Amino acid sequence: MEVERVQSIASLKANLDAIPSEFVRPENEQPGRTTFRGPVPEIPVVDMSDPDRTRVVRAVVDASCKWGMFQVVNHGIPAEVIKELQEVGKEFFELPQEEKEKYAMKSGSTEGYGTKLGKELEGKKGWVDFLFHNVWPPSLINHGVWPSKPSTYRKANEEYTKHLVKVMDELFESLSIGLGLEKHAMKEASGGEDLGLLLKINYYPPCPRPDLALGVPPHTDMSMLTLLVPNEVSGLQVFKDDHWFDAKYIPNAIIVHIGDQVEILSNGKYKSVLHRTTVNKEKVRMSWPVFCEPPNELVIGPLPQLINQENPPKYKAKKYKDYKYCKLNKLPQ
Ligand code: OGA
Ligand code: NI
């Protein structure tokens, strides 16, 4: 089946002032009507180079409880490494359509190039194309689905991943300490060395009606953690205190989302964050989220150390693959 890519639709509509009706959100979701206008509270920023380690832990824990989202700066990933990751991703999406289609996601696979196939419940679509592939651990990597053009694609992604794993490990340590646990507790409960990193590249073409459309609709990530770098075009929004707020763009910061599995492990202390993305009238927006996920067969439930008479489990324990199935098919957990 021939799938229409948003990038192709966008290039046909570039000089028009209308978008196909399946991209027009219902009024209660339209960013033009629902974006908070006024003084925007700043999403917490965590300086990971702070020599006062207690302060770093406290900042991570506080943000994870109150926002489920924060930006980390001075994380040790060289700016050049991030720039290269972004450059090769952008080059991939600028290749001719038939070259990208060589990587089209096959049914049943979680990797490949694509556009969301199924419409959402209200029959709506997001203004975005994507590329998914595993980047960690080496045993999960299938280089057949990594773009072979540009030729530096592989090197740039390997380099970024190597650094990102260290940032992830440090975040897991802070989150464990924040629960009063030994520092390896969270990562161990997430699969330890079998924890997988799945990279997604979002490509949001310019959109003639950014007031009516959304890139990705409101959702929480089902991963443990999501570590994301955007390009310089803002668009990520977070839902807090009943409002949609724009996330400020901080060059070279890594945006962290607490995902559903960390909320479950922590028995609700850390909050998985509701977020969505808007699109831009003139510019291409791109982002590179990396989803840190437990192995499919691993059972995830509230950590037993946190459960007692006064603190009963608030979530069911289930295999990650069963959680994913329910979430993707909009079934109760
Ligand atoms: C996602 C997502 C945010 C962004 O792909 O799950 O939330 O900034 N992306 O593109
Ligand atoms: Ni997300």
Side-chain angles (χ1 to χ4, degrees):
M1 185 187 67
E2 193 70 13
V3 185
E4 200 162 26
R5 305 303 178 195
V6 177
Q7 195 173 359
S8 315
I9 298 172
S11 63
L12 293 172
K13 300 282 173 190
N15 298 315
L16 301 177
D17 197 28
I19 50 174
S21 62
E22 67 256 39
F23 292 100
V24 177
R25 312 304 303 189
E27 284 189 2
N28 65 351
E29 280 192 356
Q30 289 176 8
R33 291 171 183 266
T34 58
T35 297
F36 182 74
R37 311 270 170 221
V40 174
E42 199 178 316
I43 295 166
V45 176
V46 179
D47 178 355
M48 287 182 87
S49 69
D50 187 340
D52 183 345
R53 301 321 287 167
T54 316
R55 198 155 57 195
V56 177
V57 170
R58 206 182 313 127
V60 168
V61 169
D62 206 50
S64 304
C65 295
K66 293 192 185 131
W67 285 80
M69 180 166 165
F70 50 97
Q71 308 212 39
V72 297
V73 296
N74 301 322
H75 38 60
I77 308 182
E80 267 308 303
V81 170
I82 296 176
K83 201 168 140 222
E84 261 308 291
L85 171 86
Q86 297 184 318
E87 191 50 46
V88 297
K90 183 162 167 275
E91 281 178 41
F92 171 74
F93 277 92
E94 286 169 353
L95 290 173
Q97 202 51 39
E98 66 268 25
E99 179 65 27
K100 293 190 291 254
E101 296 296 346
K102 291 183 187 163
Y103 300 90
M105 190 180 250
K106 300 197 175 69
S107 94
S109 173
T110 51
E111 297 183 287
Y113 168 70
T115 306
K116 205 159 181 181
L117 277 185
K119 292 182 181 174
E120 298 159 38
L121 284 181
E122 318 79 23
K124 296 297 173 190
K125 288 182 169 176
W127 192 264
V128 62
D129 296 325
F130 53 70
L131 173 72
F132 273 108
H133 59 76
N134 292 327
V135 292
W136 193 261
S139 60
L140 284 185
I141 293 177
N142 169 9
H143 283 297
V145 292
W146 287 35
S148 59
K149 290 183 194 161
S151 58
T152 44
Y153 188 91
R154 179 166 168 174
K155 177 106 182 44
N157 277 264
E158 285 173 349
E159 200 55 26
Y160 178 69
T161 303
K162 189 180 81 189
H163 285 95
L164 195 70
V165 167
K166 291 186 197 150
V167 177
M168 174 188 77
D169 284 350
E170 205 173 325
L171 291 170
F172 271 125
E173 290 188 13
S174 294
L175 292 169
S176 304
I177 295 167
L179 294 172
L181 304 174
E182 187 272 319
K183 68 179 183 180
H184 297 300
M186 288 283 268
K187 185 162 179 197
E188 281 309 310
S190 316
E193 295 313 307
D194 292 329
L195 188 120
L197 269 54
L198 175 66
L199 171 75
K200 179 186 184 195
I201 306 181
N202 286 305
Y203 185 91
Y204 304 98
C207 175
R209 295 302 304 267
D211 54 329
L212 303 180
L214 283 175
V216 283
H219 67 285
T220 59
D221 293 347
M222 56 192 166
S223 49
M224 286 280 167
L225 292 177
T226 304
L227 309 182
L228 175 150
V229 283
N231 71 350
E232 72 292 348
V233 180
S234 62
L236 176 60
Q237 296 189 329
V238 51
F239 193 69
K240 184 163 191 295
D241 303 331
D242 272 339
H243 294 296
W244 284 104
F245 296 118
D246 286 309
K248 187 174 102 180
Y249 168 64
I250 303 177
N252 294 315
I254 305 276
I255 300 175
V256 181
H257 297 163
I258 298 292
D260 297 346
Q261 305 311 307
V262 160
E263 175 169 326
I264 295 170
L265 280 181
S266 72
N267 202 31
K269 176 171 167 142
Y270 299 138
K271 301 286 183 306
S272 139
V273 64
L274 188 63
H275 56 284
R276 69 178 187 186
T277 55
T278 61
V279 288
N280 190 283
K281 199 168 164 73
E282 284 97 28
K283 295 181 193 149
V284 172
R285 178 168 191 269
M286 290 185 72
S287 67
W288 287 256
V290 170
F291 303 105
C292 310
E293 297 186 303
N296 278 328
E297 299 295 329
L298 190 68
V299 175
I300 307 283
L303 285 163
Q305 304 93 305
L306 306 177
I307 302 305
N308 53 41
Q309 202 103 63
E310 290 87 68
N311 299 292
K314 294 185 183 149
Y315 306 85
K316 263 192 230 162
K318 62 200 303 185
K319 284 186 179 172
Y320 183 55
K321 69 171 186 196
D322 297 332
Y323 187 93
K324 274 202 289 200
Y325 180 84
C326 291
K327 180 119 176 169
L328 293 173
N329 294 289
K330 300 189 160 60
L331 301 168
Q333 289 293 344

